Amino acid sequence: AVVSTQSTGFTDAGCVPVWPDGGYFMLVDTGPMGWDFTAENTGRCYDVDCVKWLTREFKLATIPISVFYGDQNRHLAAKYIRVCCAKSDATIDKACEIIRSLRKA
């Protein structure tokens, strides 16, 4: 139920969740959101800038996926973030509220 609630929050915001068959994490494709971090000019992969932004601005901690890839394949995961589903219902509800507030206009 937690994964379903959380994935619905991301879907409502315009992201594309990747539902796990099991485990404590789900992946989310943030590409459809159109977020642009190029102005920050960090030289980091998109997902790293994305998770830092989500944490800094919204206190929503997520995990970049590209860090699990080698340099040649890092681009394959550049728009994906990893979200922990092993949280309390209150935490999941708050995360969904934040995520929905980021919906594209």
Side-chain angles (χ1 to χ4, degrees), residues 68 81 85:
F68 296 103
I81 60 174
C85 301

Side-chain angles (χ1 to χ4, degrees), residues 3 19 24 39 55 57 72 90 94 96:
V3 172
W19 295 36
Y24 298 107
T55 303
E57 298 297 325
Q72 290 183 334
K94 180 64 177 169
C96 288

